[in-house]
Amino acid sequence: MFTPLVSIIVPIYKTRQYIEQCLSSLINQTYQNLELILIDDGNTDDTLEYLTKIAQEDTRIRVFSQENKGLSASRNIGLSYAKGEWVFFVDSDDWIEKETIETCIHAISNDDFDLVFFDYMREFGTISKPVHLFNQSKEFNEIECRNLRRRMIGPYRSELTTPTKLYSLSTAWKLYKREIAKKYSFVDTKIIGTAEDALFNIQYYQDVKKALYLHYPFYHYRRNNENSVTAKGKILLSQQLLELFKLIKQLISSPEEEEAYYNLIAVELYQLGLNEIHIDTSFMNRYKKIKSILSSDLYKKSLQALSLRYFPLHWKIFFFNAKYKLYFLFYLSLYVLDFARYLSTKIK
């Protein structure tokens, strides 16, 4: 019977109100051959005390405590301690369905896969919205896996029709082979922002020969409004994106990946623009900063190469304003899209 050890790594920082739900979903998995690696990342409340207590009740749990080093460092440390053939990352304010690991392991028991991934639910308070990556469960061969990797680098041609799904394939909520995962590491979010998952996956997919996708939302991703870019702007985001682009460029290996790379830079103007309009400064300072970004050489180059033909009308207008330096219209369109996105989280 195929029952490999699975290591579940959970970095924990300032999520005390959610951690019990998260850990309950892991401890009560229908698949039992697990080790839970819990990283207390410098919590100052009773989190460590709670983790120590539950570790005494379940021998599968190992707790490690450290000074606050951030999400990426915690994942890397957890990976260094992992003993399982497979590794799974869970954020401590999220949770998974109780049959998640068993379903994944059962699905790969008769074949040699390097990766398993699946859909997820976006949780907005009492509202749940599924994110379906494909229309049905599917196996991906080596050539198809290279295309998945290219999609993680950036959208290509018809994929530009849904620019807001830029990172839907790039989350860390996957079942990874430890022997591959340990070759790479997560880059500090202080350096590249919150795209550390995408960069790790782009690297990991260099070694993927066969992957399995399961058409079911096993993972529940909690969207905390206080942490969203629309809650408050991140002053360093523009610089962090430039660092991310530099690292991704080093991994490009084909003309298609290069086109996708420059599309990525152009499409990221949406998130970057939303961030800038929420920076706590004057209207004029925000406007000047957005104008400066659109005028920079890297974004100008990416916008010049960007084809508008694949975008739906509202995105076509948005990127038309950016492409042709209609700065004020671009600035106003950010507020319109921001409000539309806010409404989408309030309406079932």
Side-chain angles (χ1 to χ4, degrees), residues 83-138:
K83 298 177 181 178
E85 182 179 341
W86 293 88
V87 175
F88 188 74
F89 297 100
V90 176
D91 292 343
S92 57
D93 52 352
D94 300 335
W95 72 96
I96 62 176
E97 295 291 319
K98 65 180 182 179
E99 70 277 9
T100 300
I101 304 300
E102 181 179 23
T103 304
C104 292
I105 294 298
H106 178 75
I108 62 176
S109 61
N110 296 318
D111 216 327
D112 186 23
F113 291 96
D114 298 311
L115 184 78
V116 185
F117 63 106
F118 37 78
D119 302 323
Y120 58 93
M121 298 288 292
R122 301 174 74 202
E123 303 289 350
F124 301 88
T126 59
I127 299 174
S128 299
K129 294 191 175 184
V131 176
H132 294 294
L133 306 178
F134 299 98
N135 294 327
Q136 61 184 10
S137 297
K138 174 179 171 59

Side-chain angles (χ1 to χ4, degrees), residues 161-347:
T161 57
T162 53
T164 56
K165 293 186 177 181
L166 190 59
Y167 292 114
S168 59
L169 282 171
S170 302
T171 68
W173 316 318
K174 299 174 172 68
L175 200 62
Y176 298 95
K177 271 190 175 175
R178 183 174 64 90
E179 65 181 26
I180 299 177
K182 68 183 182 181
K183 295 168 59 177
Y184 306 107
S185 60
F186 291 89
V187 177
D188 195 333
T189 56
K190 292 187 178 73
I191 298 174
I192 62 168
T194 57
E196 79 289 349
D197 292 1
L199 187 60
F200 179 83
N201 279 295
I202 291 169
Q203 294 174 311
Y204 185 93
Y205 261 86
Q206 294 175 127
D207 298 275
V208 175
K209 301 295 188 296
K210 195 170 185 179
L212 176 66
Y213 159 71
L214 299 176
H215 183 59
Y216 188 85
F218 288 109
Y219 195 96
H220 295 262
Y221 167 47
R222 194 189 306 272
R223 290 297 305 269
N224 297 317
N225 290 333
E226 64 270 20
N227 294 326
S228 68
V229 298
T230 56
K232 61 178 180 179
K234 302 172 184 177
I235 296 174
L236 299 178
L237 182 60
S238 59
Q239 182 59 41
Q240 289 169 337
L241 282 175
L242 293 178
E243 293 299 320
L244 173 66
F245 298 153
K246 288 179 185 177
L247 293 174
I248 292 178
K249 190 173 185 179
Q250 296 171 7
L251 301 172
I252 291 174
S253 59
S254 71
E256 291 80 11
E257 289 182 357
E258 183 174 22
E259 182 176 335
Y261 167 74
Y262 283 107
N263 285 342
L264 165 72
I265 295 170
V267 171
E268 276 287 10
L269 283 168
Y270 168 61
Q271 291 292 347
L272 182 56
L274 288 183
N275 179 74
E276 293 300 327
I277 66 174
H278 288 276
I279 296 290
D280 187 17
T281 185
S282 69
F283 175 94
M284 188 54 65
N285 284 340
R286 292 194 295 268
Y287 176 74
K288 288 180 179 178
K289 180 62 181 293
I290 288 174
K291 184 176 180 180
S292 173
I293 291 169
L294 290 175
S295 302
S296 66
D297 290 341
L298 181 61
Y299 287 105
K300 281 198 299 184
K301 182 177 180 179
S302 66
L303 286 167
Q304 287 169 359
L306 181 68
S307 172
L308 300 179
R309 60 177 293 193
Y310 301 103
F311 289 112
L313 180 59
H314 63 293
W315 287 116
K316 191 171 292 187
I317 294 170
F318 177 78
F319 287 108
F320 180 91
N321 292 336
K323 188 179 180 77
Y324 295 101
K325 301 180 179 63
L326 304 176
Y327 301 121
F328 189 70
L329 290 177
F330 177 81
Y331 187 66
L332 290 181
S333 65
L334 284 168
Y335 284 93
V336 173
L337 290 173
D338 186 31
F339 183 68
R341 189 168 78 157
Y342 169 79
L343 287 180
S344 74
T345 67
K346 301 299 181 184
I347 301 174

Side-chain angles (χ1 to χ4, degrees), residues 50-74:
Y50 170 71
L51 299 180
T52 302
K53 179 178 180 295
I54 63 169
Q56 293 170 347
E57 300 170 355
D58 192 326
T59 58
R60 298 174 302 168
I61 298 174
R62 291 193 288 161
V63 178
F64 300 92
S65 186
Q66 63 185 21
E67 294 182 2
N68 179 244
K69 295 181 180 179
L71 176 63
S72 292
S74 296

Side-chain angles (χ1 to χ4, degrees), residues 8-49:
I8 302 181
I9 298 170
V10 188
I12 301 166
Y13 182 64
K14 290 187 176 180
T15 54
R16 184 63 180 88
Q17 68 269 41
Y18 305 122
I19 191 61
E20 292 183 36
Q21 181 184 20
C22 173
L23 296 184
S24 176
S25 77
L26 305 180
I27 293 169
N28 295 309
Q29 284 292 297
T30 55
Y31 186 86
Q32 291 293 296
N33 193 21
L34 306 172
E35 66 166 358
L36 274 58
I37 300 174
L38 312 182
I39 310 296
D40 167 48
D41 190 30
N43 291 284
T44 57
D45 53 16
D46 70 338
T47 294
L48 180 57
E49 179 183 351

